[in-house]
Amino acid sequence: MDFRRLTREFLLGEAKAPSVASYIQSISEVLQAIKPRSRTDERRIEVARANLTEVRRHMRRMQERVNVLEEHVKVLEESKE
């Protein structure tokens, strides 16, 4: 790897933003690390985990749909030429 390039990208803010999957993984790890102090906290964490699972499912479906649409665009562009 070119560490000078990585450093420059970091310092100039040119680095890629984290993916949605990275954000979801990060939130999941935070939820796992939380130690509930009451039953209410426990239920809130449980609901948050369930919601995160649904978000993950929707994200996968959207990504699949994006892939299909990108293929359609590619085919249309090729046929246009």
Side-chain angles (χ1 to χ4, degrees):
M1 278 197 167
D2 183 6
F3 291 107
R4 284 181 278 174
R5 181 183 54 82
L6 290 173
T7 303
R8 187 187 79 235
E9 287 176 356
F10 175 76
L11 292 175
L12 297 176
E14 296 174 350
K16 290 183 181 179
S19 68
V20 175
S22 297
Y23 286 121
I24 290 173
Q25 180 179 351
S26 173
I27 293 168
S28 178
E29 290 171 0
V30 168
L31 286 173
Q32 288 176 350
I34 294 174
K35 303 293 181 211
R37 295 183 181 160
S38 66
R39 292 291 291 158
T40 303
D41 288 346
E42 208 172 289
R43 283 191 292 270
R44 285 181 180 152
I45 293 170
E46 188 177 314
V47 168
R49 283 184 184 147
N51 289 341
L52 194 58
T53 300
E54 287 302 313
V55 168
R56 189 177 287 127
R57 274 192 198 118
H58 286 287
M59 187 214 46
R60 276 194 214 118
R61 287 183 193 139
M62 286 186 342
Q63 187 59 50
E64 289 171 6
R65 184 70 179 143
V66 165
N67 292 342
V68 168
L69 291 172
E70 285 175 344
E71 285 296 319
H72 286 300
V73 167
K74 188 184 295 184
V75 168
L76 288 172
E77 287 175 346
E78 289 172 356
S79 67
K80 196 167 125 179
E81 293 174 356

